[in-house]
Amino acid sequence: CGSGGSSTSGTSGSSANLIQSNPANKDVKITVGSKNFTEEYILGEIYAQGLQAAGYDVSTKLNLGSETIAKKAIQDGQISGYPEYTSTALGSFFQVPANKIPSDAQQAYTQAKADLAKEGLVAYPPTPFADSNAVGTLTSTAQKLGLKTISDLKGKSQNMVLAGSPECRERIDCLAGLEKNYGLQFKQFVQAGGHRPALHGARQGRRGPVDPVHERRSARELQQVHDPRGRQGAYPLRERDLHRLEEGGRPGRA
């Protein structure tokens, strides 16, 4: 009897956490979009499948492009919404300097929500998990060149190749910020289709820093470069074998 009672209670609790389908939603059409990188595809699918489970008529338009393209897609009525990061919204849409973006996630969301509301856009509550960019390179390269901070790249970056996402060239928390905030000039910028191609290039010696670094399997090969000025939106990675460095920035939330 005790076992049966426990099982019933557990089932009830689990069911309460599931998304409940509402027949009233079946006539509501929603189009979920996403930006043009792997994490966004996954987030877009999570939102789309969650809404579908709630009974909505859902379609997707993933891989739209950068945040400016995705935002315009909402404003033009092509999509109903897409996953965005609070720090990206503040920095890219409203030109808030990276070191002025609130380090508290709730404060950053509140500010982004208010700014987006002025443009007729709604920012729904953020996810409980965070994400961020980082500047990194192979540990062997960091040791050879004595790299511990982004500032250490000064005088060395001109002989290095930076790999990044398609929009990295224009983002203040990527190449544009490295040039403006640190005065760095790289030998070349290479657009990487994802984190693994960038990492593979670094292993082969074709590229210098890898930005961002999110490759779990090869954490022991990588070293994050600390951002002492807190301007690049960098945040220490939590990989067990990665060299742990002092916190240097702010997380972003989808």
Side-chain angles (χ1 to χ4, degrees), residues 147-205:
L147 303 177
K148 293 184 179 179
T149 70
I150 293 177
S151 297
D152 291 336
L153 290 168
K154 191 76 172 179
K156 305 179 180 75
S157 62
Q158 67 271 18
N159 297 316
M160 305 178 79
V161 179
L162 179 71
S165 58
E167 66 271 21
C168 177
R169 292 179 185 274
E170 303 171 354
R171 287 183 54 155
I172 197 65
D173 59 352
C174 203
L175 178 59
L178 292 171
E179 293 176 339
K180 179 179 179 180
N181 296 326
Y182 288 89
L184 300 179
Q185 294 296 324
F186 291 92
K187 178 180 179 181
Q188 183 183 359
F189 172 77
V190 177
Q191 179 176 308
H195 309 319
R196 292 183 182 179
L199 179 61
H200 176 73
R203 285 201 191 102
Q204 299 301 316

Side-chain angles (χ1 to χ4, degrees), residues 214-234:
H214 288 153
E215 179 57 67
R216 180 174 298 277
R217 294 181 307 167
S218 303
R220 59 172 52 89
E221 298 181 58
L222 301 168
Q223 178 163 325
Q224 182 177 335
V225 184
H226 171 47
D227 177 15
R229 304 180 192 179
R231 294 183 176 180
Q232 287 305 115

Side-chain angles (χ1 to χ4, degrees), residues 216 219 224 235-242 244-245 247:
R216 180 174 298 277
Q224 182 177 335
Y235 202 66
L237 302 181
R238 302 303 183 187
E239 315 295 6
R240 182 177 61 184
D241 298 314
L242 190 66
R244 294 183 184 277
L245 300 173
E247 180 174 328

